[in-house]
Amino acid sequence: MPRPTTIEYTNGKIEECNRIYYSIQLHLVEISAKGGNGGTHIGRFSYKGDEVTMSEFRHRGDEEKLTTLNELK
C-alpha cells in the first residue's frame, strides 16, 4: 500500500495530505487542492543533502500576490 503524502512544518508538526496535488519541474513546484477550493500556488525549491526546502509561493494567475502559510495549509 502506498504511503500517504505528508507535509512537515518548521515547528515539527506533520500533516497527512489526502487532496493535494503537486507538479515539480526544474526548481519550481506547483501545488493545488483537488476541488479548486484552495487555489493553485507556484513556488521555488532547493536541495541540500537529503532535504528539500520550498519557498516564495505565489498565486497562479496573480503572481504579484504572495501565498500565506494558512492558504497552503
Side-chain angles (χ1 to χ4, degrees):
M1 183 171 186
R3 290 183 355 183
T5 299
T6 59
I7 295 175
E8 183 174 348
Y9 298 97
T10 55
N11 66 3
K13 179 182 174 187
I14 298 175
E15 186 173 353
E16 188 175 312
C17 306
N18 296 313
R19 299 179 59 87
I20 292 180
Y21 294 85
Y22 54 91
S23 171
I24 298 174
Q25 295 180 351
L26 298 173
H27 290 281
L28 294 175
V29 61
E30 177 179 293
I31 298 176
S32 61
K34 183 167 177 65
N37 60 355
T40 299
H41 308 275
I42 298 180
R44 298 193 176 278
F45 70 92
S46 61
Y47 293 99
K48 184 174 182 181
D50 62 351
E51 183 176 292
V52 177
T53 302
M54 291 184 246
S55 64
E56 299 180 13
F57 278 90
R58 296 180 181 274
H59 291 260
R60 182 175 194 110
D62 186 4
E63 286 78 16
E64 295 296 318
K65 184 177 179 188
L66 289 171
T67 300
T68 67
L69 181 58
N70 282 335
E71 289 172 314
L72 286 177
K73 288 180 182 180

